[in-house]
Amino acid sequence: MIDFVKHNFWNILIVLNYVVAISAAITILLKNINPTKTISYIMVLVFFPFLGLLVYYFFGQEYRKNKIFNRKHILNKRVVKNINKELQLNNKEKREIKQTLDEKVKLVKLLYNSEQSPLTLNNKVKLIKNGEEKFKLLLKDLEQAQSHIHMEYYILKDDKIGTQVLDVLCEKAIEGVNVRLTFDDVGSKLSKAIKNKLKESGVEFAPFMPVLFPKFTGKMNYRNHRKIVVIDGRIGYLGGINISDTYVNYETDNSYWRDTHLRIEGEAVKPLQINFLTTWNFVSNTDLPISKTFFPEIEVTEEVPVQIAASGPDTDWANIMETIFTAIVTAQKYVYITTPYFIPNDEVITAMQVAAKSGVEVKLLIPKHSDSWTAEHATNSYLESLLEAGVEIYRYKKGFVHAKTLVVDDIFCTVGTSNMDYRSFNINFEINALIYDETQSKALKKFFNDDIKDSEQLTLQSWQKRPRLSRLKESFCRLWAPLL
């Protein structure tokens, strides 16, 4: 028997591969997903032994039906259920919102029906341009924390700015403030020394889904791409800026990093808190008691309607993608999109094309040069069809634009962590703030118009003249779009 196995080892492996592959193919067929995806996965399973199984394992499974972790454990907590109930609008508020938002009320209903995410009214919102401004505000808020600090980041490094933030966390923990920190194990890099310092200071911390070889798994795991800070349950931060020197434009830097973040005071901090607690319950492997101190009474009197959209393998629906799609198709005047990675699905592409052809001013701002060769060429493969439909495309030249924003009709805008790509829509854990406010929308619109001054506009005529070799690179990279 042993000799037979030795002499037929590879044949046995091939047979086992196709037994598993056939089982996977049957599973895919029974899901009744998009026919193109079905055929693609089956072809990979048939023509690429072993590799096909790996591709299916990492990208072919529906994690929204077989969740990595279940959010309902936190959502069913009595305190959390009461908070969600308190945030519900009364009939008068609903009527006023409907009159004010007109077509955009569909976005409110969509997110509530998908995720039970309430529209909050009493909020004070500040748009933040670039890391220098964010960290100046954040460090001041952290230093004034009295009860607790909750932080959740994709990238956290103990470089210059990272050390400043981590030192404040240690100081506050020593003072008696409850500090809880989670960071993605692939995106982040912390030394053993800083981890020991955090532990000795009393900071509770836990990596998100640890991996053995982060350098080799960065693009193949379901990662936590969110950036959340909650201070005393009163102040919240979210957006595109991670904790790393890369995101701070120091005077000695040779490169320029353009990003957008958001600071919130008010009721919208409560859904942010709930999302953090959901993640913390998973990464810490503990059942943290949920107390009212996490959700203090809100004293903000300003009215800026904000809804928090979370999306990822822990949600039933692709909430952020559906929100972006609905915002585009309900636009009446304009849609301005800024994203560092533009590798969208067919739904978003079609929405942009239809909006542009129907007379809506659709503008897209992307980097001229990406930090990923494959992502850049994959992005380029989508541009010609958009230009043909009348979409205006700008490529940022001043540096690298990393902001993830969308603004529509001077009444709706969103700032968050989600890129306009397959990974953000379907694979990673993301979070966005949806803002239904004219003042904030016009402010974000000004950000956009200022940025296109530092950009070049593509024309269909010139873009069609690009070399055939470039087109070939684009088509090849587009095949791997789900992996980028």
Side-chain angles (χ1 to χ4, degrees), residues 63-64 66-71 152-154 184 208-209 221-228 239 275 278-279 282-283 309-315 320 416-419 422-432:
Y63 278 92
R64 287 197 172 90
N66 305 296
K67 293 183 174 61
I68 293 175
F69 64 85
N70 195 336
R71 305 171 77 241
E152 177 178 343
Y153 272 87
Y154 173 60
D184 188 87
F208 185 91
M209 290 179 64
N221 289 286
Y222 288 73
R223 306 316 314 172
N224 187 359
H225 196 241
R226 296 169 184 167
K227 298 98 180 164
I228 298 174
N275 277 282
T278 302
T279 303
F282 170 65
V283 298
S311 184
D314 59 333
T315 61
I320 294 175
T417 69
S418 178
N419 300 307
Y422 183 90
R423 291 189 66 83
S424 284
F425 290 164
N426 297 282
I427 298 176
N428 287 339
F429 295 79
E430 306 282 0
I431 194 159
N432 278 33

Side-chain angles (χ1 to χ4, degrees), residues 340-352:
Y341 307 106
F342 184 75
I343 310 173
N345 55 18
D346 292 340
E347 291 84 349
V348 170
I349 285 287
T350 301
M352 293 174 67

Side-chain angles (χ1 to χ4, degrees), residues 43-257:
M43 288 181 66
V44 168
L45 288 168
V46 171
F47 294 109
F48 297 93
F50 310 116
L51 176 62
L53 289 176
L54 286 174
V55 171
Y56 172 70
Y57 176 78
F58 284 112
F59 303 104
Q61 300 185 73
E62 180 53 77
Y63 278 92
R64 287 197 172 90
K65 293 181 180 178
N66 305 296
K67 293 183 174 61
I68 293 175
F69 64 85
N70 195 336
R71 305 171 77 241
K72 289 182 173 57
H73 179 68
I74 289 293
L75 297 178
N76 287 334
K77 295 278 188 179
R78 181 175 57 82
V79 173
V80 172
K81 290 176 76 172
N82 289 339
I83 291 298
N84 282 327
K85 188 175 180 180
E86 290 172 8
L87 292 175
Q88 298 302 312
L89 303 183
N90 58 42
N91 290 332
K92 181 183 177 183
E93 290 171 330
K94 288 179 181 178
R95 286 194 298 270
E96 291 175 350
I97 286 295
K98 189 173 182 179
Q99 291 174 354
T100 303
L101 297 183
D102 193 25
E103 279 287 293
K104 302 303 179 289
V105 77
K106 291 181 179 179
L107 289 163
V108 179
K109 292 178 179 178
L110 170 70
L111 192 55
Y112 183 77
N113 290 333
S114 297
E115 196 60 21
Q116 298 293 297
S117 179
L119 177 68
T120 62
L121 297 183
N122 295 113
N123 297 292
K124 180 180 179 181
V125 172
K126 179 176 177 55
L127 288 169
I128 300 171
K129 180 181 283 189
N130 294 345
E132 316 80 276
E133 184 180 356
K134 172 199 169 173
F135 290 112
K136 182 179 179 181
L137 293 168
L138 177 61
L139 287 167
K140 182 178 179 181
D141 286 335
L142 292 174
E143 288 168 355
Q144 295 176 353
Q146 300 294 317
S147 171
H148 62 271
I149 297 171
H150 291 161
M151 297 182 68
E152 177 178 343
Y153 272 87
Y154 173 60
I155 295 176
L156 172 60
K157 296 182 179 179
D158 53 353
D159 48 17
K160 183 178 178 181
I161 191 64
T163 298
Q164 282 184 260
V165 173
L166 293 168
D167 282 348
V168 173
L169 296 186
C170 290
E171 290 168 8
K172 300 308 293 187
I174 292 171
E175 290 176 13
V177 174
N178 292 311
V179 181
R180 298 178 181 91
L181 168 68
T182 178
F183 48 86
D184 188 87
D185 200 48
V186 169
S188 299
K189 185 177 180 181
L190 296 179
S191 65
K192 187 175 181 180
I194 196 66
K195 288 181 180 179
N196 288 336
K197 182 177 180 180
L198 290 169
K199 190 179 296 184
E200 291 168 2
S201 301
V203 174
E204 297 180 66
F205 65 94
F208 185 91
M209 290 179 64
V211 294
L212 290 175
F213 305 105
K215 289 183 180 180
F216 300 102
T217 55
K219 295 296 183 184
M220 295 184 69
N221 289 286
Y222 288 73
R223 306 316 314 172
N224 187 359
H225 196 241
R226 296 169 184 167
K227 298 98 180 164
I228 298 174
V229 178
V230 177
I231 301 169
D232 294 340
R234 300 179 184 277
I235 299 172
Y237 285 81
L238 79 160
I241 303 172
N242 287 289
I243 300 179
S244 166
D245 286 343
T246 302
Y247 298 81
V248 183
N249 296 308
Y250 294 115
E251 292 182 1
T252 55
D253 285 350
N254 295 321
S255 59
Y256 181 78
W257 194 277

Side-chain angles (χ1 to χ4, degrees), residues 83 123 145-150 178 229-236 264-274 277 291-300:
I83 291 298
N123 297 292
Q146 300 294 317
S147 171
H148 62 271
I149 297 171
H150 291 161
N178 292 311
V229 178
V230 177
I231 301 169
D232 294 340
R234 300 179 184 277
I235 299 172
I264 304 173
E265 292 181 68
E267 293 175 334
V269 178
K270 294 181 178 182
L272 268 186
Q273 183 81 287
I274 292 170
L277 294 172
S291 71
K292 286 285 288 184
T293 58
F294 292 153
F295 305 97
E297 292 296 322
I298 298 301
E299 299 173 356
V300 175

